[in-house]
Amino acid sequence: MAVERTLSILKPDATKRNLTGAINKVFEDAGLRIVAQKRVRLTQDQAGAFYAEHKARPFYGELVSYMISEPVVVQILEGENAVLKHRDVMGATDPAQAAEGTVRKLYALSKGENSVHGSDSAESAAREIGFFFAQSEIPG
Ligand code: ADP
Ligand code: MG
């Protein structure tokens, strides 16, 4: 298995409830390493563009409003099989469906306010890392 990188976002419900350390402990305990990280307040345009794939979905407007409601932490996680490992430890989108011990089972409030984002493929990871991080901010 190859060492990969993936994009992680600690969403507004997580920063608001002071859960960023607790959530990152779950990721670090799973063998994922934070190699770049910043706390930012997204603009409406950024949040809308980041979630452009969901533009036609009924929850899109609510999702964009939520994502700009508080700061988020955007970070690059690195590890063996990081994309899939991160998705596994995040848990299902809906916390009611999430497995025991996953971040969303432990901390998510609802299907919308579900604490974390993670890239869903290697291709998404490359695109999403480039969306948030300049080349000069990404360690070699
Ligand atoms: P994931 O984040 O698990 O990859 P999706 O890509 O399907 O999930 O959706 C992106 C985000 O949109 C979710 O994490 C969640 O915040 C929000 N979302 C998805 N489905 C719903 C829904 N039915 N109602 C409200 N918000 C939703
Ligand atoms: Mg997704």
Side-chain angles (χ1 to χ4, degrees):
M1 244 174 277
V3 174
E4 294 177 336
R5 287 178 173 181
T6 191
L7 185 86
S8 158
I9 305 178
L10 308 180
K11 292 180 171 181
D13 70 273
T15 59
K16 187 172 188 177
R17 290 180 292 150
N18 218 17
L19 289 171
T20 61
I23 292 171
N24 275 335
K25 177 162 172 38
V26 178
F27 292 150
E28 290 179 339
D29 286 349
L32 295 164
R33 177 178 297 274
I34 301 162
V35 297
Q37 183 184 56
K38 55 189 172 185
R39 186 174 293 233
V40 293
R41 185 79 179 249
L42 299 182
T43 65
Q44 179 146 344
D45 282 354
Q46 276 180 310
F50 184 76
Y51 279 118
E53 66 175 306
H54 295 306
K55 205 161 192 158
R57 309 282 286 278
F59 58 81
Y60 179 72
E62 180 191 326
L63 175 59
V64 171
S65 302
Y66 157 63
M67 289 300 292
I68 66 174
S69 65
E70 295 280 337
V72 298
V73 176
V74 293
Q75 50 192 17
I76 302 172
L77 304 183
E78 182 179 87
E80 288 286 329
N81 204 19
V83 174
L84 203 61
K85 182 180 278 185
H86 182 219
R87 292 288 300 192
D88 280 351
V89 74
M90 284 167 56
T93 308
D94 182 350
Q97 309 291 327
E100 288 298 330
T102 61
V103 168
R104 283 166 166 171
K105 176 70 174 188
L106 287 165
Y107 299 116
L109 298 174
S110 65
K111 196 168 183 178
E113 297 188 51
N114 59 3
S115 305
V116 285
H117 166 85
S119 308
D120 61 10
S121 67
E123 293 70 33
S124 300
R127 184 183 69 248
E128 292 176 357
I129 287 170
F131 186 92
F132 282 114
F133 289 90
Q135 204 56 46
S136 60
E137 298 176 306
I138 303 173

